[in-house]
């Protein structure tokens, strides 16, 4: 009868493997290790609040064409033939070398079992030598203790952790809440990082018990001085909700899948996008369903999701929440979704520092200490209006509340507001037309592309002056610049700054993006106002609008010219009509050309689209 060995098969169940097959498997795995046929892959760990990457977890993949490609099958096979420790050591070396070769930034997280760590140096994995060979600083290496079965290695781990830590290496407990990775291990090993098993992340946005567990882990970590990383983030709802529970670092397929050559520029751009809250999800885990153009320059751009308390919450519970989170300075007080007040760390700590205050008021509801007149702004409030309102109030408050249709979403800070306003001013100055200070070509193109990406209906209108070239030649560029400034002023007066966009392409060319329902009427008023105001301006200089003027044309022939008039060429854009801002600009330019074929002030509307 053939001898057998146990190996994990489909579904994780042990299966019997003949000794001959076991020997073949042994030689197959030995060959993989000897030939460096295993591929390291890396998955980023995101710090959404800062828009940066903490580092990468290094993982391993077997040959793509074989049955050992997936790590579960690879490590199960190695365990069955006694090569699990050798495989782990090989993976650590390969991952560290590849991480350095790729020039990846931040921390490197590498999985290792306690057993493999205990016998690392005696079986050829010398971390000091590995760090010296690769040039990786010990402070950048985090070793994740992964083994779930207790084989006694945990009991002798403490002195070994000390030797590694002396080289700067730090440790993480992996998959907290799964197998033997429990709170007892945390208490014994005091790791610098704790990675929460995906069991607690998946579906957390609609599971109150999971949310409470995540908050509890965050609270314990704050006391222990550990950093919490939530694994298994696979949907935007879970992404938003986990952040609400106080977890700063996230990892999962929603952010990025493991890759052999991570695109750091793209990952960084995605990190910034998430930090800028272009992916907006409410504290209840549902999408805010806002087009990107409706977030920039508005209060929602400053949104930070902070858990609230009810007005019945005892003061001692509020104080404990502040003490557990050193970066928490404000707690909103919300009843049935509606903000009713605000509590500050400084105010509560100062009050409870006085004799007997905690004993007297600790169990009383926090409503007695809250500010019941907090600054509250709807999410679509423009940042300029928000800033003005705060300045006109009773001094500049530190934090304010942000709502959607009167229901609490999160908080914003005055510091973030000032930074956002500064960025807006710098961006506007960098891309503005120097003559009119209106947005130039770069912001115009961006705005069109945002509308297209958001699936919005809008109308684009190209504004151009007729007879401007000879006017500029006869009367001089200073008078010509005055006419362009006058045109910019007239157009600006007739756009709704809450809905519409006006940009200056250059010279006497302007572009308007309308979302106002009455945009045609606005255009008619632009045409009339520009004609009247230019006529009045030139009348003061002795030039009659009805008579025009004489000047040489480009062939040197004297001819009569009318005064400049405004032509508007418009195109109505529906979702799916165009794919890029180039196509929209081209369509508007063609509509403008049609408008200029008619004499005088004209609005021409092109009713076709690229989809026709």
């Amino acid at each position: 009868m053939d001898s057998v060995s146990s190996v994990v098969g489909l579904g994780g169940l042990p299966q019997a493997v003949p000794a001959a097959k076991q020997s073949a498997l042994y030689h197959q795995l030995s060959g993989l290790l000897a030939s460096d046929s295993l591929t390291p892959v890396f998955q980023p760990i995101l710090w959404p609040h800062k828009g940066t990457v903490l580092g990468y977890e290094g993982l391993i993949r077997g040959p793509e064409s074989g049955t050992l490609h997936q790590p579960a099958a690879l490590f199960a096979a190695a365990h069955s033939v006694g090569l699990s420790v050798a495989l782990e050591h090989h993976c650590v070396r390969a991952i560290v070398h590849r991480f350095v070769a790729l020039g990846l930034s931040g921390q490197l997280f590498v999985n290792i079992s306690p057993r493999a760590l205990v016998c690392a140096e005696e079986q050829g994995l010398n971390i000091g030598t590995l760090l010296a060979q690769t040039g990786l600083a010990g402070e950048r290496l985090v070793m994740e203790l992964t083994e779930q079965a207790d084989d006694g290695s945990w009991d002798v781990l403490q002195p070994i952790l000390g030797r590694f830590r002396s080289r700067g290496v730090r440790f993480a407990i992996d998959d907290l809440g799964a197998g033997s990775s429990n709170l007892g291990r945390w208490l014994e090993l005091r790791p610098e990082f704790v990675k929460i098993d995906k069991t607690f992340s998946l579906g957390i946005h609609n599971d109150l018990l999971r949310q409470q567990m995540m908050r509890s882990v965050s609270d314990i970590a704050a006391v222990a001085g550990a950093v919490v990383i939530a694994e298994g983030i696979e949907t935007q709802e879970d992404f938003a909700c986990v952040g609400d529970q106080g977890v700063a670092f996230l990892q999962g397929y929603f952010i990025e899948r493991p890759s052999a050559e991570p695109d750091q520029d793209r990952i960084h751009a995605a990190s910034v996008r998430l930090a800028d809250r272009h992916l907006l999800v409410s504290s209840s885990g549902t999408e805010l369903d806002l087009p990107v153009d409706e977030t920039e320059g508005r209060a929602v751009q400053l949104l930070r999701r902070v858990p609230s308390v009810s007005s019945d919450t005892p003061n001692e519970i509020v104080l404990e929440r502040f003490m557990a989170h050193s970066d928490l300075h404000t707690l909103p007080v919300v009843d049935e979704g509606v903000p009713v007040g605000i509590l500050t760390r400084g105010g509560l700590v100062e009050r409870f520092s006085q004799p007997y205050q905690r004993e007297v008021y600790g169990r009383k509801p926090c409503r007695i200490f809250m500010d019941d007149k907090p600054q509250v702004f709807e999410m679509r409030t423009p940042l300029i209006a928000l800033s003005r309102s705060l300045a006109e109030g009773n001094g500049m408050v530190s934090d304010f509340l942000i709502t959607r249709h009167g229901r609490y979403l999160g908080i914003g800070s005055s510091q973030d507001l000032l930074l956002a306003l500064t960025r807006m001013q710098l961006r506007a100055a960098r891309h503005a037309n120097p003559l009119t200070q209106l947005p130039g070509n770069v912001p115009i193109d961006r705005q069109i592309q945002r509308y297209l990406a958001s699936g919005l209906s809008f109308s684009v209108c190209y504004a151009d002056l007729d007879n401007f070239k000879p006017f500029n030649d006869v009367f001089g560029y200073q008078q010509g610049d005055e006419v362009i400034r006058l045109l910019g002023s007239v157009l600006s007066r007739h756009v709704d700054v809450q809905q519409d966009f006006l940009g200056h392409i250059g010279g006497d060319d302007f572009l308007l993006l309308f979302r106002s329902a009455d945009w045609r009427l606005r255009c008619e008023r632009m045409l009339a106002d520009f004609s009247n105001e230019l006529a009045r301006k030139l009348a003061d200089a002795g030039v009659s609008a009805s008579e025009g003027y004489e000047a040489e044309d480009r062939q040197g022939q004297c001819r009569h010219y009318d005064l400049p008039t405004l032509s508007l060429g418009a195109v109505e854009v529906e979702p799916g009509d165009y794919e890029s801002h180039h196509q929209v600009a081209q369509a508007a330019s063609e509509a403008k050309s049609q408008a200029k074929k008619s004499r005088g002030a004209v609005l021409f509307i092109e009713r076709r689209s690229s989809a026709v």
Side-chain angles (χ1 to χ4, degrees):
M1 183 175 180
D2 291 336
S3 61
V4 297
S5 175
S6 177
V7 63
V8 177
L10 294 175
L13 299 175
Q15 296 180 344
V17 177
K21 186 175 180 181
Q22 178 182 342
S23 177
L25 190 57
Y26 179 93
H27 288 294
Q28 180 186 4
L29 286 165
S30 298
L32 291 178
L33 298 182
S35 62
D36 289 330
S37 298
L38 304 180
T39 303
V41 295
F42 301 90
Q43 185 176 36
I45 300 170
L46 184 64
W47 190 0
H49 181 66
K50 296 293 184 181
T52 59
V53 173
L54 171 67
Y56 294 80
E57 180 177 356
L59 305 163
I60 208 76
R61 297 291 184 268
E64 284 193 14
S65 58
T67 59
L68 302 181
H69 176 64
Q70 292 301 322
L74 178 65
F75 281 88
H79 177 72
S80 72
V81 296
L83 287 176
S84 58
V85 169
L87 175 60
E88 289 190 62
H89 290 173
H90 177 90
C91 291
V92 171
R93 286 191 292 268
I95 288 170
V96 172
H97 276 281
R98 187 59 179 161
F99 179 84
V100 174
L102 289 172
L104 297 179
S105 60
Q107 308 291 316
L108 170 61
F109 290 73
V110 182
N111 296 312
I112 193 166
S113 69
R115 182 183 173 204
L117 194 62
V118 167
C119 60
E121 295 189 2
E122 66 184 48
Q123 294 194 23
L125 179 62
N126 188 304
I127 293 297
T129 301
L130 180 62
L131 294 176
Q133 288 175 342
T134 59
L136 182 69
E139 293 76 14
R140 295 183 63 195
L141 180 61
V142 181
M143 309 200 79
E144 296 184 30
L145 302 174
T146 61
E147 188 170 290
Q148 297 184 4
D150 192 349
D151 61 357
S153 300
W154 293 97
D155 300 333
V156 295
L157 206 55
Q158 278 291 5
I160 295 171
L161 298 187
R163 290 202 297 271
F164 279 83
R165 281 176 168 139
S166 68
R167 299 187 178 100
V169 177
R170 291 180 286 179
F171 290 88
I173 288 183
D174 192 28
D175 298 333
L176 182 74
S180 61
S181 296
N182 53 35
L183 294 178
R185 299 295 186 208
W186 191 350
L187 188 63
E188 295 167 9
L189 303 178
R190 307 297 172 98
E192 288 82 2
F193 297 86
V194 174
K195 301 189 78 174
I196 304 177
D197 184 68
K198 64 181 181 181
T199 304
F200 297 97
S201 301
L202 293 174
I204 191 173
H205 69 280
N206 57 9
D207 191 324
L208 293 178
L209 183 56
R210 280 184 167 85
Q211 294 173 24
Q212 181 59 56
M213 289 180 173
M214 194 74 74
R215 285 196 297 271
S216 298
V217 171
S218 298
D219 292 341
I220 296 171
V223 175
V227 173
V228 177
I229 301 170
E231 296 179 299
I233 306 300
E234 297 187 1
T235 68
Q236 63 185 30
E237 293 85 4
D238 288 343
F239 173 89
C241 188
V242 169
D244 287 347
Q245 315 314 314
V247 178
F249 299 96
L250 308 176
Q251 179 182 353
Y253 286 174
F254 174 70
I255 298 166
E256 188 78 15
R257 288 179 175 270
S259 170
E261 295 187 16
D263 185 340
Q264 292 195 86
D265 290 339
R266 188 177 59 76
I267 292 171
H268 174 71
S271 303
V272 172
R273 176 175 60 85
L274 292 171
D276 284 347
R277 297 167 186 88
H278 289 182
L279 175 69
L280 291 172
V281 181
S282 73
S283 56
S284 64
T286 57
E287 290 185 67
L288 296 185
D289 192 27
L290 275 181
V292 173
D293 68 286
E294 293 193 15
T295 71
E296 292 195 357
R298 300 177 187 273
V300 69
Q301 182 183 339
L302 311 175
L303 181 68
R304 287 188 289 125
R305 288 180 292 270
V306 173
S308 61
V309 295
S310 71
S311 61
D312 293 328
T313 304
N315 286 306
E316 59 185 3
I317 299 299
V318 175
L319 183 62
E320 289 171 4
R321 183 77 62 86
F322 278 127
M323 294 298 99
H325 299 280
S326 59
D327 61 341
L328 183 63
H329 300 284
T330 300
L331 266 178
V333 183
V334 178
D335 287 340
E336 298 182 354
V338 179
V340 296
I342 199 168
L343 292 159
T344 63
R345 171 192 291 270
L348 200 62
V349 170
E350 180 182 2
R351 187 178 294 273
F352 276 5
S353 65
Q354 301 173 16
Y356 309 114
Q357 292 296 296
R358 187 162 187 173
E359 290 80 359
V360 174
Y361 295 106
R363 297 180 181 274
K364 294 186 181 298
C366 65
R367 71 171 68 92
I368 65 173
F369 290 154
M370 73 180 187
D371 176 2
D372 62 359
K373 292 181 175 59
Q375 292 273 19
V376 181
F377 298 94
E378 273 291 306
M379 58 188 285
R380 287 186 172 84
T381 304
L383 294 183
I384 298 298
L386 193 157
S387 175
R388 187 180 302 114
S389 178
L390 290 177
E392 292 173 353
N394 296 324
M396 202 71 166
V397 299
S398 175
D399 292 325
F400 46 86
L401 306 185
I402 299 174
T403 58
R404 186 189 194 192
H405 304 312
R407 302 187 68 80
Y408 171 72
L409 279 182
I411 68 173
S413 73
S414 296
Q415 182 179 6
D416 288 346
L417 171 62
L418 292 175
L419 289 173
L421 290 173
T422 300
R423 285 196 296 267
M424 287 171 57
Q425 291 169 351
L426 290 174
R427 188 164 56 244
R430 187 166 61 248
H431 297 301
N433 184 284
L435 183 60
T436 60
Q437 295 302 305
L438 290 170
N441 289 310
V442 172
I444 290 172
D445 291 346
R446 286 178 180 168
Q447 193 74 4
I448 296 174
Q449 202 62 45
R450 286 169 185 156
Y451 284 176
L452 295 176
S454 301
L456 297 174
S457 298
F458 63 99
S459 296
V460 55
C461 182
Y462 199 126
D464 185 27
L465 292 179
D466 300 318
N467 308 317
F468 181 71
K469 175 69 169 60
F471 179 90
N472 203 51
D473 292 342
V474 172
F475 292 95
Y477 73 90
Q478 287 185 332
Q479 279 285 4
D481 286 351
E482 285 298 316
V483 172
I484 292 174
R485 277 193 283 263
L486 172 63
L487 175 57
S489 174
V490 170
L491 299 179
S492 297
R493 289 203 303 269
H494 292 291
V495 296
D496 182 349
V497 295
Q498 299 289 337
Q499 302 183 73
D500 307 328
F501 179 90
L502 170 62
H504 187 176
I505 298 171
D508 58 325
D509 296 321
F510 293 76
L511 201 74
L512 301 104
L513 305 177
F514 287 109
R515 294 182 61 203
S516 300
D518 61 345
W519 67 271
R520 293 177 186 81
L521 178 60
R522 293 175 184 272
C523 288
E524 296 291 349
R525 290 172 177 169
M526 291 174 186
L527 294 171
D529 282 5
F530 177 75
S531 296
N532 294 334
E533 293 189 26
L534 179 61
R536 285 196 296 270
K537 181 179 182 65
L538 294 181
D540 295 337
V543 179
S544 170
S546 59
E547 296 178 1
Y549 59 95
E550 305 292 327
E552 288 186 356
D553 61 18
R554 294 181 180 179
Q555 286 73 41
Q557 301 296 319
C558 185
R559 57 172 292 187
H560 175 82
Y561 288 98
D562 294 330
L563 291 182
T565 54
L566 177 59
S567 289
L568 300 177
V571 178
E572 295 178 292
V573 180
E574 296 297 331
D577 283 353
Y578 302 93
E579 295 181 357
S580 72
H581 63 83
H582 299 291
Q583 295 175 344
V584 173
Q586 180 62 33
S589 180
E590 293 172 359
K592 180 258 299 185
S593 297
Q594 293 295 324
K596 291 175 74 69
K597 291 180 179 180
S598 300
R599 186 177 178 181
V602 174
L603 168 63
F604 175 85
I605 303 175
E606 174 61 75
R607 303 192 183 277
R608 294 175 299 158
S609 75
S610 66
V612 177

